[in-house]
Amino acid sequence: MAGDAGRPVLKVRDLTVEFATEDGVIRAVDSVSFDVLPNETLGLVGESGCGKTVTGLAMLRLIPMPPGRIASGSIELDGRDLVPLPNRDLEDLRGRDISMIFQEPMTALNPVFTIGNQMTDVLCRHRDLTRRQARPVAAELLAKVGIPEPADRLEDYPHQLSGGMRQRVMIAMALSCNPKLLIADEPTTALDVTTQAQVLEQFRVLQAEFRMAVVLVTHDLGVVAETCQRALVMYCGSIVESGTTADLFSRPRHPYTAGLLASIPRLRSERLAELPVIPGRVPDLLNLPAGCRFADRCPRVQERCRAERPVLTGRDSGVACHFPL
Amino acid sequence: MKIVGKKFPRKAISVLFVGLNRLISAFLAIFLVCSLAGCGPPSGSGAASPALKTFHFAMDQAPTTLDPVQGANIYANFVIVNAYDTLYSYQYLARPYLLKPNLAVDFPTVSADGLIYTFRLKKGVRFIDDPCFPGGRGREVVAEDFIYSIKRQFDPENQPQGAWLWQGRITGLDEWKAAGSDYAQPVSGLRAIDEHTLEIRLTRPYPQLTATLAQGYSALVPREAVEKYGKGLGVRPVGSGPFRLVSYDTARVVMERNPNYRQEPVDLAAEGYNPATQKFSGVEAIQGRSPPFIDRLEFNFINESSASWSSFTKGDEVQLTVLPIEQIDRVLASKRPVTLRPEYAAKYHVYGGLEAGFVFTAFNMDYPEFGYNPDPERERRNQALRCAMLKGYDWEARNHSWYFGLGEYFPGIIVPASPEFDPALSRASVTRDVAGARKLLKDNGWTPDNLPTIVYGTTAGTTERLFFEQFRAWMRDIGFPRAKVVQKTYANFGDISRAWKRSQLPLVAKGWGLDYPDAENTLQLFYGPNASPGSNDANWKNPEYDRLYEESSVLQPSPERTALYHRMNQIVLDDCVAITGISRTRIYLWHKNVIAVPDREILGGFWLKYVDLKPEPANIPALVKGG
Amino acid sequence: MEILQYALRKLLAGLPLIFGVTLVSFALMVYFGPDMTYQLLGKNPTPEQILEVRHQLGYDQPFLQRYLGFLREIVTFNFGESSTGEPVTALLAKTIPVSLILILPGFILGHVVGLLLALAAAYWRGRWPDKLIMAIAVIGMSVSFLIVIIGFQIVLSSSDGLDLFPVRGWNASSLGSYLSYVTVPTLATMFVALGYDTRFYRSVIVEEMTRDHVRTARAFGLPESRILLRNILKNCLIPFITRVMFSIPQVAIGGALLIESYFGIPGIGKATYEAIVTGDQPVLKAVVSLTAILFVLVVILNDVLYRVVDPRVTLK
Amino acid sequence: MNAVTLPLTAPNRASGESLWHKAARKFGRDRLGMLALGVVLAYFLVALGAWLGWWAGGWADLTGTKWEPVSSAHWFGTNIIGQDIFDRAVFSTATAFEVGLSVALAATFIGAVFGAFAGFFVGSWIDEFLLWCMGVLDAIPFYLFVAAVAYALTDNPWAMQVAMIATFWVGTGRLIRGEVIKLRGMEYVEAAHSIGVSELAIIFRHILPNTGHILLVQASITFVSAIKAEVILSFLGLGIKDGMSWGLMIDESTKEVLAGFYNNFLAASLLMFGLVMAFNAVADALQDALDPRKVG
């Protein structure tokens, strides 16, 4: 299931997102550039707070504004820049060309409307259907994501479903208009392990069927290894390394990536306590160091790292490090 | 660098604005309907057809009940004397006030010893038609109705308020009450000789008896109505007066003409008409015609004088009102005599009437701090203290700030509206003398440290509070520390009455309205046996005064009696038992299309049946005509 | 059926509340309240007459006996006659409708306009329309009701002002006269309520706007206005209903007091206030028990409405 | 489900100490809030001066004649009996603070204690009883309740305040109850329990201090409510007994405004508006600063 070569579905260039807080302006995403190719699954990995979720939200311009704003950069979907797009056009696009599913299935659905109601809302919005026509379509979609007795489920309210079921409903909604690109923000984090596996499997099947590109935002390297062809590693708002999943996992070049990989528990490792941990803490986003942002935690830090900020060496496959592994 | 902002999505705006637009157009529609329906100054008569002559006027309070047995309050009395008949009433235009027969044919014949009164009632007078009568048709008013009505004042079941007028005066009446107020039992002193002749026997001479029969308490109530409506009579009067009740709530009372009211053409001369002072009112137009002249009578109860004033000035919402004191400077061109500024004179008539009553502040002599004291020396110093406070009181300022200089302050307790008033009396007791007061205090050993604390009781209210603050400031001038003059407020008149009646207030500031034009009515306020809970709130007991009072109370009006009154008045003054007093002036304004000489003293609402309206509307301000 | 059963159960559960309200109000307003005796006495009473009147009014009975008598009156809904002699039920029947039609327009408009303003403020939150609306709301909250009434009366009704409406009084005999009398009170109530209502509605809406499901709706391209007016609004209904419902007893009985006394409108607020001032116990008793019952009914209705608008709520 | 959802959520317990620090810092940066606080402090100084007798001591003296216009001797003119309106308005500022502070402090204190007890013993008879009290007080219309209390306590100069306290504590009580229900489940409370700290000590030493942010905001809201209620109650004749207040001045002015004398009305209503407005703004700023979700 290798990504088809060709024009990227999504081209992100120099994307910078800032948040105005009480204490000053925070740059949550700092000059991020990447491409998403048709049909591929791109992983966006990093610790929480590294800016990966904000990047995902920025793809749909869902960042709450204010306090957030896209300070610069472009997000081109099929050659059309979303950043300057008027809200109305953007609304037409959301859910149709580009969809998103969220981490928390418990709260992401509106508790006072039925599943069917919420699904038909989306269907009627983007496909030329009446409410009556939309219902069987919605049921069909639910069946596709593996929900039994879909017609009955349409009458249910979200609180009547389990977490896994709800996430499937979200997926069904996201797929309902056959989007070119799907942003999945930690879609399985809130689920238990068994459900997680089921949902991911479903995900893969559906991706093949719907032939869409997926950006999978996650902190879970295991999920990336299983699902993604390529991955971007983010740290403090910037991409520190990019490459194919295989390359990243076998030959990490950024010390941070290496650290992340080392901290994954493997079946072989005897005791959890012996797992290596990246020392130190993520720097305060308000007072970022001038040089490499990983410098304080890096075992290989040198004088240059503190003075000069490294740049990513290549877009599809590169590393932002003066002294890569 | 591009800054992405959220643009106004047109759809959202349109949704919101369609909503707002609808709302606004709804408002406009409401206002349109409203203006089409004649929103402007609505004719206060509401549903009444324009052909009906309606007179609406403002009073500052609502009556609490319309049952004559509880007709103590002036507002209730206004309605009661128009719904019911009394044996006597007052001449419409005579000042000072003079009695005249109303339901009685004439003044009573009195036996030589002054104990037996015989009254003759008019024949053919009927109660209004009401379901309480057989067949719904009002029956004739007879002497028994009067007896029944007086008995009601002695039946505790009714919580009567007027019994004190006849208590201990009419033979057998108190015994009748003591025996359980059984209406089937006769009262020896009240006898119907025939249907239209009544005899009253007294225990001792009571020169004021006839005057008490002009009060609402003595109004004739048909037994059938009491039996049918019980307490409901308070909201449903059934009488034989010039008007009958249409509706009654806390905001207004509406009455309509009693179509069967007896025909009695007005004789202005007999009503005490004085062309020199009353011609302006156009009252000559009613000469020879039978009242009532208006079809509907509306009493509007408006507490806020500002509101009643705007109602009055804006159109014919209210056609007659008392001029609020705060408007006096704006409206009056001169105070003595009362005349209006031209812009008001073009629209309104004005009449200033001196109150038949007064306002005074009595010391409660029960308080040893400044009243009676076991120590004769202290009692003597207390008297000096009271006299000093009298000297410190500033009647001039009080009159200026509260009555715009229109009130009349006078020494003693015989009010100017009493026939026995003595204009020659020395005004020393109402002339402020701060130096004299300070000297008096000093000479009698009073210092800021040993002066007693004076508690000044009032009801809750702005005016009352300002009265107090003014009083405190005056007392500070004569040497009282601020902390020694304190106010005590009571929620309502009932509560402060309780304090008075229980002798719990050191300083009693109150007003008294005359029940009849006889100084006896105010002199009894200091009669020893009337001490609390009676009307002698000062609890003053002076043997000489009490003896003179008893001596005078059985005398018919005469120079001898007047001389006794004057002696009593002087005793009150000499003992400095009260800071007294002032009679206020009420200024009435009314639209020029109204023919009336209004008043509310003693007369109560008797004058309302003589009110007439000129045909032209009030708002075309009678152009030059009235001026 | 479920709702009916529930309501019955709640009504039973509401009995302690009714008991409490009546007990407290009885003690305050009736037992320790103003003494009517001295108002009923004439100008020159004797001690004997005072005792007679107190006996007539029942003041000489012990507290418990009087309170039990009151409970009996509540059960039979017979409060006797007011001090004017009018049956209390007749008085209520006369005054309550007046208060209702007096207060309703201002009450409804206050909430509706408040909600509209709140929606506008929430829609443009952080921008100038929001700031303007919220500034006006704070100003509205800071002006005393009394000052608003006096001000509106001067400006709209007096001959010194626009002179558009009657200064005071009440006449609802026709639509036109009703509107002319009700307008100034309505505007005054609205003006005062608006600040509080707008702020409340805005804060609820803005709180709801931060929820995940709103982001979901946005991510699926639902238009902002639709999200606001449909998705968010429905989620806000519970706090809205609570606010509206619980202001009903206050507004129905207490809220009209100031308006009624200032504009001389014969409604239940004024009647009750006068009953307190004069100590007219039959009227007080009736109003107190009505209030308590109304409050319990509102609590029940409130719960039932929750059930209607929020599927997660069950009536237990 | 019939509990009303409470708008405030628990503050970040981990940084309990720094919450106040942060809030203070945040408040300091709120320019409007600081301005409003300055205005309130200015009013307070005026009130303080009146208490200490520095000024406005002549509010009760007859220093002029009736209804004098504005002059250098009488900055706001004089009233109907010749008292200086400026002095009276200034003195009323002290009254406003007396009423506002006494009611706010007492109502907040009672609300905090009762709310904490109800919340801590949630479900027990104590909770039931306190909820019943709150329900009863909620069910009686405010002005009628105040009128009734005022009459029941005729002689007491504090009748109005007592009535306000008796009703205003309920709102705070409900909020605190909800908050305490949340807090009692926190680990540190359970820890205190397990090491045998007495329940009273837990409530007063461990739980109540953590509701301080709610109490502060509630107290400021109650302060404003009390000042506003005083005006209406004074108009109804149920207000301040001895002394001077804006409510009494406005009551005085109702008769004067239609006579064209606006000094009393303007002096009292503008001064009151200024204080209430500033206090509302302070309350808002406090709420913003103390809202844990917004603490940056």
Side-chain angles (χ1 to χ4, degrees), chain B residues 116-131:
Chain B
I116 303 171
Y117 282 63
T118 312
F119 302 88
R120 282 188 305 125
L121 271 60
K122 286 175 182 159
K123 291 180 179 161
V125 176
R126 314 190 74 87
F127 287 112
I128 55 167
D129 294 343
D130 189 277

Side-chain angles (χ1 to χ4, degrees), chain B residues 69 72 115-116 124 127 172 206 228 248 330 386 404 471 485 595:
Chain B
V69 82
L115 293 177
I116 303 171
F127 287 112
Y206 187 17
K228 182 167 173 83
Y248 164 34
R330 223 194 220 193
R386 296 197 300 271
F404 282 71
F471 176 76
V485 185
I595 301 169

Side-chain angles (χ1 to χ4, degrees), chain B residues 538-552:
Chain B
N539 296 302
W540 186 62
K541 294 175 192 75
N542 184 303
E544 169 72 357
Y545 183 93
D546 292 351
R547 192 185 58 75
L548 293 173
Y549 177 82
E550 280 150 24
E551 191 180 321
S552 68

